Amino acid sequence: MQVYSIDGITPVVDPTAYVHPTAVLIGDVIIGPGCYVGPNAALRGDFGRLILEEGANVQDTCVLHGFPGTDTVVEKDGHIGHGAVLHGCRIGRNALVGMNAVVMDGAEIGAESIVAACAFVKAAFKCEPRSMLVGSPAKFLREVSDKEIAWKSAGTATYQDLTNRCLTTMEKVEPLTEVEPNRPRMDVGEVKPKYKTEA
């Protein structure tokens, strides 16, 4: 990981968290136990504080930032999909922010809510727990079902397991020059894409 202090404030990473070597952490960043931060994520705590609570994941190319004096928080078991941007907002416990979604300053996403991929959540937006938010600007569509929460929780558990896999088995290597015979597949259990769970 690429870690930088600024104005005498240094990022904090719990030893049980995994931060990919290409991720960048700057300043007032606090990463809790069992968290996962993916490749090329940028967590810029050079103005506001950034907090990942226990078991949260922030995936590839996500950006977290905020205005001075603000906190950007991903609560316990929060799940931030590839390419999402969080700016000065709070993501509730066990909530999901979909790929390439944007959540702006002062927004509060309720626990166990789902922000759809590519949604744009305006500044100061607030929603109740278990809200399904879609669109640009994001609007409440309906309540999240028990089945959807179970699907989301299974996906988050897979990322929590990925934290352990990365800490114990990931290493930098040179690529092979050809595919070896009987090349194995990753054996990590089965979490189906949402569209396959709806059939």
Side-chain angles (χ1 to χ4, degrees), residues 50-94:
L50 313 178
I51 302 169
L52 303 186
E53 294 184 358
E54 181 179 358
N57 70 78
V58 171
Q59 298 171 19
D60 324 40
T61 71
C62 288
V63 175
L64 276 66
H65 195 238
F67 285 109
T70 65
D71 290 351
T72 302
V73 180
V74 180
E75 293 183 11
K76 183 176 180 180
D77 297 332
H79 190 105
I80 312 303
H82 314 292
V85 176
L86 307 182
H87 204 279
C89 57
R90 176 173 286 270
I91 308 302
R93 180 191 52 77
N94 202 35

mmCIF file of all heavy atoms in Angstrom, residues 50-94:
data_model
loop_
_atom_site.group_PDB
_atom_site.id
_atom_site.type_symbol
_atom_site.label_atom_id
_atom_site.label_comp_id
_atom_site.label_asym_id
_atom_site.label_seq_id
_atom_site.Cartn_x
_atom_site.Cartn_y
_atom_site.Cartn_z
ATOM 1 N N LEU A 50 -11.689 9.892 7.050
ATOM 2 C CA LEU A 50 -12.278 8.739 6.373
ATOM 3 C C LEU A 50 -12.204 7.546 7.312
ATOM 4 O O LEU A 50 -11.129 7.228 7.826
ATOM 5 C CB LEU A 50 -11.517 8.423 5.085
ATOM 6 C CG LEU A 50 -11.209 9.607 4.158
ATOM 7 C CD1 LEU A 50 -10.409 9.131 2.954
ATOM 8 C CD2 LEU A 50 -12.486 10.308 3.722
ATOM 9 N N ILE A 51 -13.348 6.876 7.525
ATOM 10 C CA ILE A 51 -13.406 5.768 8.477
ATOM 11 C C ILE A 51 -14.070 4.563 7.821
ATOM 12 O O ILE A 51 -15.196 4.657 7.318
ATOM 13 C CB ILE A 51 -14.211 6.154 9.733
ATOM 14 C CG1 ILE A 51 -13.596 7.380 10.411
ATOM 15 C CG2 ILE A 51 -14.309 4.970 10.691
ATOM 16 C CD1 ILE A 51 -14.477 7.978 11.496
ATOM 17 N N LEU A 52 -13.370 3.430 7.839
ATOM 18 C CA LEU A 52 -13.966 2.150 7.455
ATOM 19 C C LEU A 52 -14.110 1.334 8.724
ATOM 20 O O LEU A 52 -13.120 0.998 9.372
ATOM 21 C CB LEU A 52 -13.079 1.388 6.461
ATOM 22 C CG LEU A 52 -12.708 2.071 5.149
ATOM 23 C CD1 LEU A 52 -11.950 1.085 4.257
ATOM 24 C CD2 LEU A 52 -13.929 2.605 4.443
ATOM 25 N N GLU A 53 -15.348 1.007 9.073
ATOM 26 C CA GLU A 53 -15.581 0.215 10.266
ATOM 27 C C GLU A 53 -15.401 -1.271 9.963
ATOM 28 O O GLU A 53 -15.263 -1.676 8.802
ATOM 29 C CB GLU A 53 -16.972 0.513 10.837
ATOM 30 C CG GLU A 53 -17.101 1.929 11.352
ATOM 31 C CD GLU A 53 -18.443 2.231 12.005
ATOM 32 O OE1 GLU A 53 -19.324 1.335 12.036
ATOM 33 O OE2 GLU A 53 -18.619 3.367 12.486
ATOM 34 N N GLU A 54 -15.436 -2.079 10.979
ATOM 35 C CA GLU A 54 -15.122 -3.504 10.900
ATOM 36 C C GLU A 54 -15.838 -4.211 9.744
ATOM 37 O O GLU A 54 -17.045 -4.071 9.562
ATOM 38 C CB GLU A 54 -15.506 -4.190 12.213
ATOM 39 C CG GLU A 54 -15.197 -5.669 12.248
ATOM 40 C CD GLU A 54 -15.575 -6.309 13.564
ATOM 41 O OE1 GLU A 54 -16.039 -5.602 14.476
ATOM 42 O OE2 GLU A 54 -15.412 -7.535 13.676
ATOM 43 N N GLY A 55 -15.057 -4.959 8.966
ATOM 44 C CA GLY A 55 -15.614 -5.806 7.918
ATOM 45 C C GLY A 55 -16.066 -5.086 6.663
ATOM 46 O O GLY A 55 -16.620 -5.702 5.759
ATOM 47 N N ALA A 56 -15.832 -3.767 6.566
ATOM 48 C CA ALA A 56 -16.230 -3.019 5.372
ATOM 49 C C ALA A 56 -15.273 -3.324 4.227
ATOM 50 O O ALA A 56 -14.121 -3.696 4.440
ATOM 51 C CB ALA A 56 -16.234 -1.516 5.662
ATOM 52 N N ASN A 57 -15.769 -3.181 3.005
ATOM 53 C CA ASN A 57 -14.874 -3.300 1.855
ATOM 54 C C ASN A 57 -15.077 -2.136 0.908
ATOM 55 O O ASN A 57 -16.189 -1.644 0.717
ATOM 56 C CB ASN A 57 -15.025 -4.656 1.136
ATOM 57 C CG ASN A 57 -16.317 -4.815 0.403
ATOM 58 O OD1 ASN A 57 -16.510 -4.282 -0.691
ATOM 59 N ND2 ASN A 57 -17.244 -5.567 0.982
ATOM 60 N N VAL A 58 -13.962 -1.681 0.336
ATOM 61 C CA VAL A 58 -13.921 -0.599 -0.645
ATOM 62 C C VAL A 58 -13.152 -1.171 -1.823
ATOM 63 O O VAL A 58 -11.963 -1.454 -1.718
ATOM 64 C CB VAL A 58 -13.226 0.648 -0.059
ATOM 65 C CG1 VAL A 58 -12.996 1.686 -1.132
ATOM 66 C CG2 VAL A 58 -14.049 1.220 1.083
ATOM 67 N N GLN A 59 -13.821 -1.343 -2.945
ATOM 68 C CA GLN A 59 -13.258 -2.115 -4.044
ATOM 69 C C GLN A 59 -12.440 -1.260 -5.014
ATOM 70 O O GLN A 59 -12.233 -0.063 -4.801
ATOM 71 C CB GLN A 59 -14.389 -2.880 -4.734
ATOM 72 C CG GLN A 59 -15.068 -3.860 -3.784
ATOM 73 C CD GLN A 59 -16.310 -4.480 -4.351
ATOM 74 O OE1 GLN A 59 -16.539 -4.488 -5.559
ATOM 75 N NE2 GLN A 59 -17.148 -5.021 -3.487
ATOM 76 N N ASP A 60 -11.984 -1.893 -6.090
ATOM 77 C CA ASP A 60 -11.064 -1.303 -7.057
ATOM 78 C C ASP A 60 -11.530 0.066 -7.544
ATOM 79 O O ASP A 60 -12.692 0.250 -7.873
ATOM 80 C CB ASP A 60 -10.934 -2.188 -8.303
ATOM 81 C CG ASP A 60 -10.985 -3.667 -7.999
ATOM 82 O OD1 ASP A 60 -11.788 -4.092 -7.150
ATOM 83 O OD2 ASP A 60 -10.227 -4.406 -8.628
ATOM 84 N N THR A 61 -10.620 0.996 -7.615
ATOM 85 C CA THR A 61 -10.763 2.347 -8.165
ATOM 86 C C THR A 61 -11.791 3.215 -7.443
ATOM 87 O O THR A 61 -12.192 4.252 -7.966
ATOM 88 C CB THR A 61 -11.041 2.363 -9.695
ATOM 89 O OG1 THR A 61 -12.368 1.901 -9.954
ATOM 90 C CG2 THR A 61 -10.013 1.535 -10.448
ATOM 91 N N CYS A 62 -12.219 2.838 -6.243
ATOM 92 C CA CYS A 62 -13.106 3.716 -5.479
ATOM 93 C C CYS A 62 -12.330 4.946 -5.013
ATOM 94 O O CYS A 62 -11.107 4.900 -4.837
ATOM 95 C CB CYS A 62 -13.654 2.992 -4.252
ATOM 96 S SG CYS A 62 -14.880 1.736 -4.631
ATOM 97 N N VAL A 63 -13.075 6.036 -4.799
ATOM 98 C CA VAL A 63 -12.496 7.264 -4.269
ATOM 99 C C VAL A 63 -13.293 7.673 -3.037
ATOM 100 O O VAL A 63 -14.524 7.759 -3.097
ATOM 101 C CB VAL A 63 -12.525 8.405 -5.307
ATOM 102 C CG1 VAL A 63 -12.034 9.713 -4.688
ATOM 103 C CG2 VAL A 63 -11.703 8.046 -6.533
ATOM 104 N N LEU A 64 -12.594 7.925 -1.926
ATOM 105 C CA LEU A 64 -13.205 8.471 -0.716
ATOM 106 C C LEU A 64 -12.507 9.774 -0.390
ATOM 107 O O LEU A 64 -11.272 9.841 -0.361
ATOM 108 C CB LEU A 64 -13.079 7.503 0.466
ATOM 109 C CG LEU A 64 -14.122 6.392 0.584
ATOM 110 C CD1 LEU A 64 -14.036 5.407 -0.557
ATOM 111 C CD2 LEU A 64 -13.972 5.676 1.920
ATOM 112 N N HIS A 65 -13.311 10.827 -0.122
ATOM 113 C CA HIS A 65 -12.766 12.150 0.159
ATOM 114 C C HIS A 65 -13.842 12.931 0.883
ATOM 115 O O HIS A 65 -14.988 12.471 0.993
ATOM 116 C CB HIS A 65 -12.377 12.854 -1.156
ATOM 117 C CG HIS A 65 -11.488 14.041 -0.955
ATOM 118 N ND1 HIS A 65 -11.822 15.310 -1.377
ATOM 119 C CD2 HIS A 65 -10.264 14.141 -0.380
ATOM 120 C CE1 HIS A 65 -10.833 16.143 -1.069
ATOM 121 N NE2 HIS A 65 -9.877 15.455 -0.464
ATOM 122 N N GLY A 66 -13.520 14.098 1.404
ATOM 123 C CA GLY A 66 -14.518 14.930 2.056
ATOM 124 C C GLY A 66 -13.997 16.324 2.319
ATOM 125 O O GLY A 66 -12.791 16.582 2.256
ATOM 126 N N PHE A 67 -14.920 17.237 2.625
ATOM 127 C CA PHE A 67 -14.561 18.602 2.962
ATOM 128 C C PHE A 67 -13.936 18.665 4.353
ATOM 129 O O PHE A 67 -14.133 17.763 5.169
ATOM 130 C CB PHE A 67 -15.792 19.509 2.914
ATOM 131 C CG PHE A 67 -16.244 19.848 1.524
ATOM 132 C CD1 PHE A 67 -17.417 19.314 1.011
ATOM 133 C CD2 PHE A 67 -15.497 20.698 0.715
ATOM 134 C CE1 PHE A 67 -17.842 19.626 -0.269
ATOM 135 C CE2 PHE A 67 -15.911 21.017 -0.563
ATOM 136 C CZ PHE A 67 -17.090 20.476 -1.056
ATOM 137 N N PRO A 68 -13.202 19.752 4.672
ATOM 138 C CA PRO A 68 -12.616 19.898 6.007
ATOM 139 C C PRO A 68 -13.677 19.792 7.105
ATOM 140 O O PRO A 68 -14.791 20.296 6.963
ATOM 141 C CB PRO A 68 -12.007 21.304 5.977
ATOM 142 C CG PRO A 68 -11.707 21.544 4.534
ATOM 143 C CD PRO A 68 -12.826 20.861 3.788
ATOM 144 N N GLY A 69 -13.315 19.101 8.174
ATOM 145 C CA GLY A 69 -14.204 18.976 9.325
ATOM 146 C C GLY A 69 -15.296 17.936 9.173
ATOM 147 O O GLY A 69 -16.126 17.785 10.074
ATOM 148 N N THR A 70 -15.326 17.211 8.058
ATOM 149 C CA THR A 70 -16.363 16.197 7.845
ATOM 150 C C THR A 70 -15.774 14.801 8.014
ATOM 151 O O THR A 70 -14.568 14.603 7.938
ATOM 152 C CB THR A 70 -16.976 16.295 6.437
ATOM 153 O OG1 THR A 70 -15.960 15.991 5.459
ATOM 154 C CG2 THR A 70 -17.538 17.679 6.168
ATOM 155 N N ASP A 71 -16.670 13.844 8.233
ATOM 156 C CA ASP A 71 -16.295 12.438 8.258
ATOM 157 C C ASP A 71 -16.977 11.732 7.096
ATOM 158 O O ASP A 71 -18.173 11.949 6.852
ATOM 159 C CB ASP A 71 -16.741 11.758 9.554
ATOM 160 C CG ASP A 71 -15.959 12.215 10.776
ATOM 161 O OD1 ASP A 71 -14.959 12.937 10.607
ATOM 162 O OD2 ASP A 71 -16.362 11.843 11.892
ATOM 163 N N THR A 72 -16.236 10.900 6.394
ATOM 164 C CA THR A 72 -16.791 9.981 5.405
ATOM 165 C C THR A 72 -16.690 8.608 6.044
ATOM 166 O O THR A 72 -15.584 8.142 6.338
ATOM 167 C CB THR A 72 -15.995 10.031 4.085
ATOM 168 O OG1 THR A 72 -16.013 11.374 3.587
ATOM 169 C CG2 THR A 72 -16.581 9.087 3.050
ATOM 170 N N VAL A 73 -17.844 7.983 6.302
ATOM 171 C CA VAL A 73 -17.870 6.762 7.103
ATOM 172 C C VAL A 73 -18.556 5.644 6.339
ATOM 173 O O VAL A 73 -19.648 5.831 5.788
ATOM 174 C CB VAL A 73 -18.614 6.992 8.442
ATOM 175 C CG1 VAL A 73 -18.642 5.715 9.278
ATOM 176 C CG2 VAL A 73 -17.993 8.141 9.222
ATOM 177 N N VAL A 74 -17.913 4.477 6.332
ATOM 178 C CA VAL A 74 -18.554 3.247 5.880
ATOM 179 C C VAL A 74 -18.688 2.386 7.128
ATOM 180 O O VAL A 74 -17.690 1.923 7.689
ATOM 181 C CB VAL A 74 -17.728 2.520 4.793
ATOM 182 C CG1 VAL A 74 -18.442 1.246 4.359
ATOM 183 C CG2 VAL A 74 -17.476 3.445 3.601
ATOM 184 N N GLU A 75 -19.938 2.216 7.574
ATOM 185 C CA GLU A 75 -20.158 1.497 8.814
ATOM 186 C C GLU A 75 -19.912 -0.008 8.649
ATOM 187 O O GLU A 75 -19.661 -0.496 7.543
ATOM 188 C CB GLU A 75 -21.581 1.758 9.325
ATOM 189 C CG GLU A 75 -21.795 3.198 9.750
ATOM 190 C CD GLU A 75 -23.178 3.455 10.337
ATOM 191 O OE1 GLU A 75 -23.921 2.489 10.623
ATOM 192 O OE2 GLU A 75 -23.523 4.644 10.498
ATOM 193 N N LYS A 76 -20.011 -0.725 9.749
ATOM 194 C CA LYS A 76 -19.702 -2.152 9.809
ATOM 195 C C LYS A 76 -20.377 -2.916 8.668
ATOM 196 O O LYS A 76 -21.570 -2.749 8.413
ATOM 197 C CB LYS A 76 -20.150 -2.722 11.157
ATOM 198 C CG LYS A 76 -19.807 -4.179 11.342
ATOM 199 C CD LYS A 76 -20.179 -4.672 12.730
ATOM 200 C CE LYS A 76 -19.806 -6.146 12.845
ATOM 201 N NZ LYS A 76 -20.151 -6.680 14.173
ATOM 202 N N ASP A 77 -19.587 -3.743 7.999
ATOM 203 C CA ASP A 77 -20.041 -4.608 6.901
ATOM 204 C C ASP A 77 -20.547 -3.832 5.681
ATOM 205 O O ASP A 77 -21.229 -4.390 4.825
ATOM 206 C CB ASP A 77 -21.115 -5.606 7.367
ATOM 207 C CG ASP A 77 -20.586 -6.575 8.411
ATOM 208 O OD1 ASP A 77 -19.368 -6.861 8.413
ATOM 209 O OD2 ASP A 77 -21.385 -7.051 9.243
ATOM 210 N N GLY A 78 -20.210 -2.542 5.587
ATOM 211 C CA GLY A 78 -20.550 -1.781 4.385
ATOM 212 C C GLY A 78 -19.790 -2.314 3.178
ATOM 213 O O GLY A 78 -18.671 -2.816 3.304
ATOM 214 N N HIS A 79 -20.394 -2.193 2.016
ATOM 215 C CA HIS A 79 -19.881 -2.829 0.795
ATOM 216 C C HIS A 79 -19.902 -1.782 -0.314
ATOM 217 O O HIS A 79 -20.983 -1.356 -0.752
ATOM 218 C CB HIS A 79 -20.816 -3.998 0.465
ATOM 219 C CG HIS A 79 -20.343 -4.914 -0.604
ATOM 220 N ND1 HIS A 79 -19.848 -6.169 -0.330
ATOM 221 C CD2 HIS A 79 -20.332 -4.803 -1.951
ATOM 222 C CE1 HIS A 79 -19.552 -6.793 -1.463
ATOM 223 N NE2 HIS A 79 -19.832 -5.966 -2.459
ATOM 224 N N ILE A 80 -18.729 -1.351 -0.753
ATOM 225 C CA ILE A 80 -18.619 -0.262 -1.728
ATOM 226 C C ILE A 80 -18.076 -0.840 -3.028
ATOM 227 O O ILE A 80 -16.919 -1.239 -3.121
ATOM 228 C CB ILE A 80 -17.708 0.871 -1.208
ATOM 229 C CG1 ILE A 80 -18.079 1.266 0.230
ATOM 230 C CG2 ILE A 80 -17.773 2.062 -2.161
ATOM 231 C CD1 ILE A 80 -19.516 1.700 0.436
ATOM 232 N N GLY A 81 -18.933 -0.889 -4.060
ATOM 233 C CA GLY A 81 -18.618 -1.541 -5.329
ATOM 234 C C GLY A 81 -17.590 -0.787 -6.159
ATOM 235 O O GLY A 81 -17.319 0.399 -5.952
ATOM 236 N N HIS A 82 -17.052 -1.492 -7.136
ATOM 237 C CA HIS A 82 -15.990 -0.983 -8.010
ATOM 238 C C HIS A 82 -16.314 0.415 -8.547
ATOM 239 O O HIS A 82 -17.401 0.665 -9.062
ATOM 240 C CB HIS A 82 -15.798 -1.915 -9.209
ATOM 241 C CG HIS A 82 -15.739 -3.362 -8.853
ATOM 242 N ND1 HIS A 82 -14.708 -3.925 -8.146
ATOM 243 C CD2 HIS A 82 -16.606 -4.368 -9.109
ATOM 244 C CE1 HIS A 82 -14.937 -5.215 -7.985
ATOM 245 N NE2 HIS A 82 -16.085 -5.509 -8.548
ATOM 246 N N GLY A 83 -15.355 1.309 -8.413
ATOM 247 C CA GLY A 83 -15.463 2.622 -9.039
ATOM 248 C C GLY A 83 -16.381 3.608 -8.356
ATOM 249 O O GLY A 83 -16.592 4.707 -8.877
ATOM 250 N N ALA A 84 -16.937 3.278 -7.203
ATOM 251 C CA ALA A 84 -17.841 4.219 -6.522
ATOM 252 C C ALA A 84 -17.054 5.392 -5.935
ATOM 253 O O ALA A 84 -15.866 5.280 -5.644
ATOM 254 C CB ALA A 84 -18.619 3.500 -5.428
ATOM 255 N N VAL A 85 -17.759 6.510 -5.758
ATOM 256 C CA VAL A 85 -17.173 7.710 -5.158
ATOM 257 C C VAL A 85 -18.012 8.092 -3.942
ATOM 258 O O VAL A 85 -19.237 8.252 -4.055
ATOM 259 C CB VAL A 85 -17.142 8.887 -6.161
ATOM 260 C CG1 VAL A 85 -16.618 10.153 -5.486
ATOM 261 C CG2 VAL A 85 -16.313 8.538 -7.386
ATOM 262 N N LEU A 86 -17.358 8.219 -2.792
ATOM 263 C CA LEU A 86 -18.013 8.675 -1.566
ATOM 264 C C LEU A 86 -17.352 9.978 -1.147
ATOM 265 O O LEU A 86 -16.134 10.032 -1.013
ATOM 266 C CB LEU A 86 -17.854 7.644 -0.441
ATOM 267 C CG LEU A 86 -18.272 6.203 -0.718
ATOM 268 C CD1 LEU A 86 -18.074 5.351 0.533
ATOM 269 C CD2 LEU A 86 -19.698 6.125 -1.202
ATOM 270 N N HIS A 87 -18.174 11.012 -0.911
ATOM 271 C CA HIS A 87 -17.619 12.320 -0.550
ATOM 272 C C HIS A 87 -18.379 12.877 0.641
ATOM 273 O O HIS A 87 -19.522 13.323 0.499
ATOM 274 C CB HIS A 87 -17.701 13.280 -1.739
ATOM 275 C CG HIS A 87 -16.700 14.391 -1.673
ATOM 276 N ND1 HIS A 87 -16.893 15.523 -0.924
ATOM 277 C CD2 HIS A 87 -15.480 14.525 -2.248
ATOM 278 C CE1 HIS A 87 -15.840 16.320 -1.051
ATOM 279 N NE2 HIS A 87 -14.965 15.734 -1.851
ATOM 280 N N GLY A 88 -17.778 12.797 1.823
ATOM 281 C CA GLY A 88 -18.368 13.413 3.012
ATOM 282 C C GLY A 88 -19.707 12.846 3.413
ATOM 283 O O GLY A 88 -20.559 13.574 3.928
ATOM 284 N N CYS A 89 -19.913 11.551 3.216
ATOM 285 C CA CYS A 89 -21.215 10.922 3.470
ATOM 286 C C CYS A 89 -21.067 9.814 4.506
ATOM 287 O O CYS A 89 -19.972 9.488 4.943
ATOM 288 C CB CYS A 89 -21.783 10.356 2.174
ATOM 289 S SG CYS A 89 -20.682 9.167 1.386
ATOM 290 N N ARG A 90 -22.207 9.220 4.888
ATOM 291 C CA ARG A 90 -22.220 8.089 5.816
ATOM 292 C C ARG A 90 -23.006 6.958 5.169
ATOM 293 O O ARG A 90 -24.161 7.142 4.787
ATOM 294 C CB ARG A 90 -22.860 8.472 7.149
ATOM 295 C CG ARG A 90 -22.996 7.282 8.121
ATOM 296 C CD ARG A 90 -23.481 7.722 9.489
ATOM 297 N NE ARG A 90 -22.448 8.402 10.236
ATOM 298 C CZ ARG A 90 -21.577 7.798 11.047
ATOM 299 N NH1 ARG A 90 -21.620 6.498 11.217
ATOM 300 N NH2 ARG A 90 -20.664 8.508 11.685
ATOM 301 N N ILE A 91 -22.355 5.791 5.101
ATOM 302 C CA ILE A 91 -22.978 4.593 4.560
ATOM 303 C C ILE A 91 -23.292 3.691 5.746
ATOM 304 O O ILE A 91 -22.396 3.296 6.490
ATOM 305 C CB ILE A 91 -22.047 3.876 3.561
ATOM 306 C CG1 ILE A 91 -21.528 4.852 2.492
ATOM 307 C CG2 ILE A 91 -22.735 2.665 2.954
ATOM 308 C CD1 ILE A 91 -22.584 5.546 1.674
ATOM 309 N N GLY A 92 -24.564 3.354 5.930
ATOM 310 C CA GLY A 92 -25.008 2.626 7.113
ATOM 311 C C GLY A 92 -24.537 1.181 7.161
ATOM 312 O O GLY A 92 -24.035 0.624 6.180
ATOM 313 N N ARG A 93 -24.732 0.581 8.321
ATOM 314 C CA ARG A 93 -24.321 -0.802 8.582
ATOM 315 C C ARG A 93 -24.935 -1.753 7.550
ATOM 316 O O ARG A 93 -26.116 -1.708 7.266
ATOM 317 C CB ARG A 93 -24.772 -1.207 9.991
ATOM 318 C CG ARG A 93 -24.396 -2.630 10.398
ATOM 319 C CD ARG A 93 -25.092 -3.036 11.681
ATOM 320 N NE ARG A 93 -26.528 -2.832 11.644
ATOM 321 C CZ ARG A 93 -27.380 -3.629 10.999
ATOM 322 N NH1 ARG A 93 -26.957 -4.676 10.330
ATOM 323 N NH2 ARG A 93 -28.669 -3.341 11.015
ATOM 324 N N ASN A 94 -24.086 -2.587 6.989
ATOM 325 C CA ASN A 94 -24.492 -3.643 6.059
ATOM 326 C C ASN A 94 -25.183 -3.099 4.803
ATOM 327 O O ASN A 94 -25.977 -3.793 4.171
ATOM 328 C CB ASN A 94 -25.392 -4.668 6.765
ATOM 329 C CG ASN A 94 -25.397 -6.010 6.056
ATOM 330 O OD1 ASN A 94 -24.394 -6.443 5.500
ATOM 331 N ND2 ASN A 94 -26.534 -6.673 6.066
#
